[in-house]
Amino acid sequence: MIICHCTSISDHDIHAAIDWMRASDPQTIITPGKIYRALGKKADCGGCMSLFLDTMRTNAKVSVPAHLQSLRTAISPESNYEGRPQSHRISQQGT
């Protein structure tokens, strides 16, 4: 099945690239950008990205290595403002 019409990437191409990357380096983190580079192509419009990611997730070899899985910190409700200062917007009530 064609996943990206702009660059003619199929689901078989994605799985082959993942298998090749995992065989060459078992510790690598596989991203869509790395898959495009492995196939010698560049992303164009990005309209296929959700289907591209879904196809990646179906491959058992795309998982993150175990020693890298717990690096993400938990987000508490107080820090849900993406690290920006609380006063990042100017109030327009006085205008």
Side-chain angles (χ1 to χ4, degrees):
M1 174 171 80
I2 296 293
I3 303 297
C4 178
H5 291 281
C6 299
T7 57
S8 297
I9 295 176
S10 70
D11 57 340
H12 298 291
D13 296 334
I14 293 171
H15 291 299
I18 291 171
D19 294 342
W20 174 78
M21 284 189 280
R22 189 58 74 204
S24 65
D25 183 7
Q27 300 299 317
T28 191
I29 295 176
I30 299 171
T31 64
K34 287 182 179 180
I35 292 174
Y36 273 104
R37 282 190 291 277
L39 296 173
K41 301 182 181 200
K42 294 182 181 179
D44 192 13
C45 71
C48 64
M49 199 50 63
S50 62
L51 186 56
F52 197 100
L53 291 170
D54 288 342
T55 304
M56 283 178 61
R57 288 182 190 117
T58 62
N59 191 309
K61 295 180 182 179
V62 81
S63 64
V64 176
H67 70 282
L68 297 175
Q69 288 181 359
S70 302
L71 295 179
R72 190 177 230 178
T73 58
I75 298 175
S76 64
E78 301 88 39
S79 66
N80 200 14
Y81 59 92
E82 300 175 352
R84 295 178 289 185
Q86 291 296 328
S87 59
H88 66 279
R89 294 189 180 177
I90 299 172
S91 173
Q92 297 183 2
Q93 293 176 349
T95 57

